[in-house]
């Protein structure tokens, strides 16, 4: 009665390519202003956590998620594969009847995504780090939940995150960009 084990797996295939319109088929040759080349991303993962009621008012949930990120940029470039492990820990403590504090800490990873840019401003600009590596976030949160009538819950949560592996939009132009505009 004190333990609940949850597990699962998922996979996602994403085809990223540029086209003139979301309603038209993708153009396999990116425009000169595109910071990201067409690519296929495959992410497969599995997770496991254990909800453990250590006392009448305290539940602790340790968990872990493992993912494998595979990117194939084009037929001429080799596939890149990166594995990640994301540990997590959550605690739920009932403070008084119908009011609980929820604390969490964990690490999360994801593939790099597209960047919002303006073609008229950033034409042919290279955005350092846009396609390199896996992005990571160290995350902590603290919240309060209040049980309401009819099965509703009101909650408020504060978050603190530290990110790494994100594209550096403030980086100076690189040597490879000689002759290209640098904004």
């Amino acid at each position: 009665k004190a333990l609940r084990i949850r597990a699962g797996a998922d996979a996602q295939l994403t085809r990223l390519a540029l086209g003139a319109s979301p309603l038209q088929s993708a153009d396999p040759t990116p425009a000169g202003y595109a910071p990201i080349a067409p690519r296929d991303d495959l992410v497969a993962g599995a997770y496991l956590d254990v909800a453990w009621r250590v006392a009448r008012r305290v539940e602790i949930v340790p968990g872990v998620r493992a993912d494998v990120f595979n990117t194939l940029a084009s037929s001429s470039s080799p596939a890149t594969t990166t594995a990640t492990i994301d540990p997590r820990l959550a605690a739920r403590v009932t403070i008084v009847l119908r009011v609980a504090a929820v604390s969490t800490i964990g690490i999360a990873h994801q593939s790099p995504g597209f960047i919002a840019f303006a073609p008229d401003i950033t034409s042919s600009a290279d955005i350092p780090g846009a396609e390199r590596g896996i992005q990571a976030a160290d995350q902590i949160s603290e919240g309060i939940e209040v049980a309401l009538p009819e099965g509703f819950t009101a909650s408020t949560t504060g978050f603190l995150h530290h990110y790494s592996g994100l594209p550096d939009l403030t980086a100076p132009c690189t040597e490879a960009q000689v002759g290209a505009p640098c904004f």
Side-chain angles (χ1 to χ4, degrees):
K1 286 185 173 185
L3 289 177
R4 249 186 359 240
I5 298 173
R6 300 176 289 208
D10 55 53
Q12 177 180 339
L13 173 64
T14 306
R15 293 212 127 137
L16 303 168
L18 299 171
S21 161
L23 303 176
Q24 296 176 346
S25 60
D27 180 356
T29 308
Y33 60 79
I36 305 236
R39 68 177 194 254
D40 290 340
D41 286 346
L42 174 64
V43 181
Y47 67 90
L48 171 72
D49 72 17
V50 178
W52 177 27
R53 182 153 314 272
V54 295
R56 189 170 61 88
R57 294 181 169 213
V58 178
E59 181 179 65
I60 296 176
V61 184
V64 66
R65 178 176 177 86
D67 286 298
V68 175
F69 297 87
N70 185 289
T71 297
L72 180 60
S74 69
S75 58
S76 63
S77 59
T80 59
T81 302
T82 305
T84 61
I85 299 289
D86 299 349
R88 303 147 189 233
L89 180 63
R92 173 188 215 84
V93 178
T94 301
I95 301 169
V96 295
L97 184 63
R98 304 175 69 89
V99 178
V102 180
S103 304
T104 64
I105 186 169
I107 298 172
H109 292 90
Q110 71 177 21
S111 297
F114 279 106
I115 297 166
F117 62 96
D120 293 339
I121 298 170
T122 58
S123 59
S124 71
D126 179 25
I127 306 209
E131 292 184 292
R132 298 178 188 97
I134 297 297
Q135 298 172 351
D138 303 324
Q139 305 174 333
I140 298 173
S141 69
E142 184 64 42
I144 297 288
E145 293 182 352
V146 179
L148 301 173
E150 303 298 325
F152 286 95
T153 302
S155 65
T156 184
T157 304
F159 299 92
L160 177 63
H161 297 179
H162 174 264
Y163 299 98
S164 61
L166 299 177
D168 185 357
L169 302 178
T170 64
C173 292
T174 61
E175 293 286 326
Q177 296 172 308
V178 173
C182 179
F183 301 94

